[in-house]
Amino acid sequence: MDTLTVLQRIVPELKDVLERRYTLLRAVRTFGPVGRRTLTSELNISERTVRSELDILRAQGLIETGSSGVRLSREGEIVLSRLDEMARKLYDLAAVEQAMAAALKLQRVIIVPGDSDADPGVKRDMAQVTAAYLRSILRDGDILAVTGGTTLAQVAESFPGESFNRRVTVVPARGGLGEDIKIQANTIAVRLAEKLGGSYRLLHAPEDVLPCYVEQILREPRIRDVIALSRRADVLLHGIGTAEEMARRRGFDDETTMDLIARGAVGEAFGYYFNAQGEIVYTTASVGLRLHDLANIARVVAVGGGRSKAWAILAVLSTGRCHVCITDEGAARKVMRLKARTQIEGGVTDDDQDWD
Amino acid sequence: MDTLTVLQRIVPELKDVLERRYTLLRAVRTFGPVGRRTLTSELNISERTVRSELDILRAQGLIETGSSGVRLSREGEIVLSRLDEMARKLYDLAAVEQAMAAALKLQRVIIVPGDSDADPGVKRDMAQVTAAYLRSILRDGDILAVTGGTTLAQVAESFPGESFNRRVTVVPARGGLGEDIKIQANTIAVRLAEKLGGSYRLLHAPEDVLPCYVEQILREPRIRDVIALSRRADVLLHGIGTAEEMARRRGFDDETTMDLIARGAVGEAFGYYFNAQGEIVYTTASVGLRLHDLANIARVVAVGGGRSKAWAILAVLSTGRCHVCITDEGAARKVMRLKARTQIEGGVTDDDQDWD
DNA sequence: AGCAGTGGGACACTTTCTGTCCCGCCAGGC
DNA sequence: GCCTGGCGGGACAGAAAGTGTCCCACTGCT
């Protein structure tokens, strides 16, 4: 029985307060100098409460108040990082990371506490951790290929603004898909390049295209060049999509979607749909990096969280093409349960009972 | 920065709650099945608050409510013992114990957190720890000699009632002193013998006596026998008195008291007054065990706490006659500071500045 | 100059806490 | 076998703390 457990036992109300302030501190860390109303709308805490809590945290010297809002003080950063460690310890995430890396033959797994499905703050944390990881591995002259998606968009946003003195070329690995400009690979590449202080290329092509036009598009020099560049990437950062979500984004009709589901598709990446064993069950004619290209890339980093994405994560990681996975606790634990189950039963079973 | 420190930082109000409940739990442990009004009068917490807190602790399963009041549940005992450990760790008492043992050449030092001067609960804790220590060292057939004093009286009271199947003879090491029956060595010996399930002897003699009568009294067979028995004790448990307090109990007049102070007397034991170096500066003609008798006793245990007794403790332990000291944090830390200072300056200095 | 976002003041309203009763119950002592 | 002292629980008003919701003046950016 460790310290925290004992404390929670004799001071049960500690949990609420602790969680609230931890959330608040993380939000302050993420949003930089930020005001109480922004925090209120971002978190699920009323304005007055945010205010009271900030007063306390300020009195403790953990945050500082500038003209444009509050931000973490130096000490606040230290305390918060200790809180991060505590959360990791509390949920024993290091053990889950190792187990998951072993089970899925990954070089490294990074898990942030929480569940993106339940708490948007967790997705932000995941994005920040991913950004920090990128900073730690990117070297001068590296080529970084990125895909689209909401998670990766957040990674780009939460990249710290401080200058990063390594010249990195960011190249989109996939064409454009859907109408939301924020989550396009192109946009993310630009944003990341800005934050990294590097250069970028744009892939002026749609992601989903009729099969008959694919070859024609790929002959286009500027497109061909960008794709070729992405094949030579040193690091590939890609999101993980659920089969349903990606079918929707691609505007699949009901029939095709039903077909996908019938084939056992649960995850998507690079225009391929995979079943839980990581086998390709459906292929789209698409523009951008393809699965076999990944074999030449030294470091393939998959990012995605939320327990609703667990099947998709399991599927994509099971392809054996990824080296690193950054996810959250909700997803990771479910992935491990699913993995154990599919190994025993040798197939996909009903999902529902896992939503406890 | 450990868990508790971090938590106290982001949840500063934790301290109050934690201390209150810890105090409450300790009181429940000490007073066995006890009601809320008794707790109220014993601690400095209002009835309503005690009630609310007890409700919470009960909801947590840490205490149980019987017909005669609340008592610790099995789990409560476990949690409370973990809290004890935490308190010790928090104040790094193990380190102080070792430092003090080394500085004063003691076999063992046991320190309980807190300060008896500020919190009567600490004195109870000290008494309980002493009782537990006694239980752990007393062997079948042992002779236990005890002196008087408020602290030792509390040790006897807080001795657990459970049968202790080792035959121990408890013998008072000092004669009667003053009017308070509870703190006489005789009373304490009886009480302890009852709790231990052993036998006892009584010393029917006054402690302070005119010098001319001492020899006469010592010729009395029943008195002589008891004193002889105490000389052969296996364990001696004795309190530590401040020079001022013991002068008052002996009814010294102002002149004698001034004389004592002028000689640098700060501590008292066995009718001797010591200066800070442990040198005898005043001797009373008294009935009971004398200082030189201690040389033959295998285990001399000194008990006393509260920072106001620090000088006295330093003095008595400096005689080099004690093997074990049980005290509290307030006293221990001050003793160590005084020890360091007197070693440097080679003498006694003003005490006041130490009351921070 | 306008705007969007900031902190702080204010204040009424709600919830929680707290002090202080009273009551009926039960066990241990006479 | 009754008495009494200590027990828990109910109750309730008043105090204190917390909360929702305004307004206002300021500032940095566009």
Side-chain angles (χ1 to χ4, degrees):
Chain A
M1 202 160 30
D2 67 335
T3 308
L4 232 178
T5 317
V6 173
L7 285 181
Q8 287 220 12
R9 199 66 193 275
I10 80 161
V11 189
E13 58 268 45
L14 175 64
K15 188 169 177 261
D16 290 331
V17 185
L18 191 56
E19 277 178 2
R20 198 183 324 138
R21 294 195 190 156
Y22 183 38
T23 309
L24 210 42
L25 282 175
R26 282 185 301 155
V28 171
R29 170 169 61 185
T30 304
F31 296 109
V34 64
R36 98 176 93 99
R37 287 179 200 82
T38 307
L39 288 170
T40 301
S41 66
E42 208 63 41
L43 314 169
N44 226 348
I45 313 179
S46 81
E47 183 188 326
R48 198 60 185 74
T49 309
V50 167
R51 204 170 157 183
S52 309
E53 299 290 25
L54 287 184
D55 287 342
I56 295 171
L57 294 174
R58 192 179 302 117
Q60 290 296 307
L62 300 180
I63 58 177
E64 293 164 346
T65 304
S67 59
S68 56
V70 295
R71 64 168 182 282
L72 287 188
S73 68
R74 187 80 202 101
E75 270 209 271
E77 286 175 20
I78 298 171
V79 169
L80 186 49
S81 70
R82 287 287 293 115
L83 281 173
D84 289 333
E85 288 172 37
M86 281 167 54
R88 284 182 57 83
K89 250 197 201 126
L90 182 61
Y91 301 113
D92 205 15
L93 295 188
V96 182
E97 285 176 356
Q98 289 187 8
M100 189 161 158
L104 292 162
K105 300 192 178 57
L106 299 167
Q107 286 173 11
R108 175 139 185 228
V109 173
I110 301 177
I111 301 175
V112 301
D115 187 336
S116 302
D117 288 354
D119 177 4
V122 174
K123 195 166 183 176
R124 284 196 299 267
D125 291 345
M126 205 165 61
Q128 284 191 318
V129 166
T130 306
Y133 177 71
L134 278 184
R135 279 182 72 98
S136 75
I137 60 162
L138 286 174
R139 296 285 169 257
D140 211 36
D142 270 1
I143 298 171
L144 168 66
V146 296
T147 69
T150 55
T151 309
L152 289 207
Q154 207 144 23
V155 172
E157 285 311 313
S158 62
F159 221 92
E162 305 141 34
S163 68
F164 182 71
N165 56 359
R166 274 160 275 188
R167 283 183 310 263
V168 173
T169 304
V170 188
V171 49
R174 304 290 299 159
L177 179 63
E179 300 302 322
D180 189 349
I181 185 66
K182 288 203 202 84
I183 66 171
Q184 303 298 326
N186 271 340
T187 315
I188 293 167
V190 173
R191 218 63 198 97
L192 268 178
E194 282 172 359
K195 294 290 184 78
L196 288 164
S199 59
Y200 60 88
R201 302 294 296 273
L202 289 180
L203 183 57
H204 295 293
E207 198 264 2
D208 53 340
V209 64
L210 289 179
C212 49
Y213 296 126
V214 170
E215 279 198 31
Q216 188 181 336
I217 290 177
L218 291 180
R219 270 200 288 272
E220 198 73 35
R222 298 183 57 179
I223 293 175
R224 203 183 47 202
D225 287 354
V226 172
I227 293 178
L229 196 62
S230 73
R231 287 209 183 94
R232 287 167 32 219
D234 300 283
V235 178
L236 165 63
L237 183 68
H238 72 91
I240 295 173
T242 63
E244 296 87 344
E245 172 65 19
M246 293 310 291
R248 198 176 314 123
R249 280 200 204 153
R250 288 212 171 84
F252 281 12
D253 55 28
D254 287 355
E255 196 183 341
T256 319
T257 307
M258 291 304 283
D259 182 35
L260 264 181
I261 294 171
R263 296 187 192 196
V266 292
E268 193 272 357
F270 310 105
Y272 300 90
Y273 289 80
F274 306 96
N275 65 14
Q277 281 72 43
E279 297 156 355
I280 300 170
V281 294
Y282 191 94
T283 310
T284 62
S286 72
V287 173
L289 211 63
R290 306 311 317 257
L291 196 60
H292 56 84
D293 297 323
L294 271 58
N296 302 317
I297 299 178
R299 183 135 30 185
V300 177
V301 181
V303 188
R307 46 187 308 160
S308 61
K309 272 196 183 174
W311 278 112
I313 293 170
L314 174 62
V316 172
L317 296 182
S318 295
T319 61
R321 300 287 185 173
C322 303
H323 305 115
V324 176
C325 174
I326 300 174
T327 184
D328 63 25
E329 190 191 352
R333 290 199 188 277
K334 188 167 173 190
V335 164
M336 292 306 286
R337 282 202 302 274
L338 297 179
K339 175 75 182 166
R341 198 199 298 172
T342 51
Q343 274 181 334
I344 293 169
E345 304 183 6
V348 177
T349 62
D350 185 22
D351 181 12
D352 289 352
Q353 67 199 69
D354 240 345
W355 286 86
D356 50 335
Chain B
M1 203 162 25
D2 68 335
T3 308
L4 232 179
T5 317
V6 173
L7 285 181
Q8 287 221 13
R9 199 66 193 276
I10 80 161
V11 189
E13 58 268 45
L14 176 64
K15 188 170 178 262
D16 289 333
V17 184
L18 191 55
E19 277 178 2
R20 197 184 324 140
R21 294 196 189 154
Y22 183 38
T23 309
L24 210 41
L25 282 176
R26 282 185 300 155
V28 171
R29 171 170 60 187
T30 305
F31 295 110
V34 65
R36 99 175 93 96
R37 289 180 198 81
T38 308
L39 288 172
T40 300
S41 65
E42 208 63 41
L43 314 169
N44 225 350
I45 312 178
S46 80
E47 183 188 325
R48 197 59 184 73
T49 309
V50 167
R51 203 169 156 183
S52 309
E53 298 291 24
L54 288 184
D55 285 342
I56 295 172
L57 294 175
R58 192 180 302 117
Q60 290 296 307
L62 301 179
I63 57 176
E64 293 165 345
T65 303
S67 58
S68 54
V70 295
R71 65 169 181 281
L72 287 188
S73 69
R74 188 77 203 104
E75 270 207 271
E77 287 175 19
I78 298 172
V79 169
L80 186 49
S81 70
R82 287 286 293 117
L83 281 172
D84 290 333
E85 289 172 36
M86 281 168 54
R88 284 183 57 84
K89 257 205 194 114
L90 181 61
Y91 301 113
D92 206 15
L93 295 187
V96 182
E97 285 175 355
Q98 289 186 11
M100 189 161 159
L104 293 162
K105 299 190 178 57
L106 299 167
Q107 285 173 12
R108 173 139 186 229
V109 173
I110 301 177
I111 301 175
V112 300
D115 186 337
S116 302
D117 288 353
D119 177 4
V122 174
K123 195 164 183 178
R124 284 195 299 266
D125 291 344
M126 204 165 61
Q128 284 190 318
V129 166
T130 306
Y133 177 72
L134 278 184
R135 278 181 73 98
S136 75
I137 60 163
L138 286 174
R139 297 283 168 259
D140 210 38
D142 270 359
I143 298 171
L144 168 65
V146 295
T147 69
T150 56
T151 309
L152 290 207
Q154 207 144 21
V155 172
E157 285 311 313
S158 63
F159 221 92
E162 305 141 35
S163 68
F164 183 72
N165 57 0
R166 274 160 275 188
R167 283 183 310 262
V168 172
T169 305
V170 188
V171 49
R174 306 289 299 157
L177 178 62
E179 299 303 322
D180 189 348
I181 183 69
K182 288 203 201 84
I183 66 172
Q184 303 298 328
N186 271 342
T187 314
I188 294 168
V190 173
R191 214 69 194 93
L192 268 179
E194 283 172 359
K195 293 291 184 81
L196 288 164
S199 59
Y200 59 88
R201 302 295 296 272
L202 289 181
L203 183 56
H204 295 293
E207 198 265 2
D208 53 341
V209 65
L210 288 179
C212 50
Y213 297 126
V214 170
E215 277 199 32
Q216 189 180 334
I217 289 177
L218 290 180
R219 270 200 289 274
E220 197 72 33
R222 298 182 57 177
I223 294 176
R224 203 183 49 202
D225 287 355
V226 172
I227 292 178
L229 195 61
S230 72
R231 288 209 183 93
R232 287 169 29 221
D234 300 282
V235 178
L236 165 63
L237 183 69
H238 71 92
I240 296 173
T242 63
E244 296 86 344
E245 172 65 19
M246 292 311 289
R248 198 175 315 124
R249 281 200 205 154
R250 287 212 172 84
F252 280 13
D253 56 29
D254 287 354
E255 194 182 342
T256 319
T257 307
M258 292 303 283
D259 181 36
L260 263 183
I261 294 172
R263 296 186 192 195
V266 291
E268 192 271 356
F270 309 105
Y272 300 90
Y273 289 80
F274 306 97
N275 65 13
Q277 280 72 42
E279 296 155 357
I280 298 170
V281 294
Y282 190 95
T283 309
T284 62
S286 70
V287 173
L289 212 61
R290 307 307 321 250
L291 195 60
H292 56 83
D293 296 324
L294 270 58
N296 302 319
I297 298 179
R299 182 129 39 179
V300 177
V301 181
V303 188
R307 48 186 306 160
S308 60
K309 271 196 183 172
W311 278 114
I313 293 170
L314 175 62
V316 173
L317 295 183
S318 295
T319 60
R321 302 285 185 174
C322 303
H323 305 114
V324 176
C325 174
I326 300 174
T327 182
D328 62 26
E329 190 191 352
R333 290 198 187 278
K334 187 167 174 189
V335 164
M336 291 306 286
R337 283 202 303 276
L338 298 179
K339 175 74 182 167
R341 198 200 297 173
T342 52
Q343 272 181 334
I344 293 169
E345 303 182 8
V348 177
T349 63
D350 185 22
D351 181 12
D352 289 353
Q353 67 199 69
D354 239 347
W355 286 85
D356 47 338

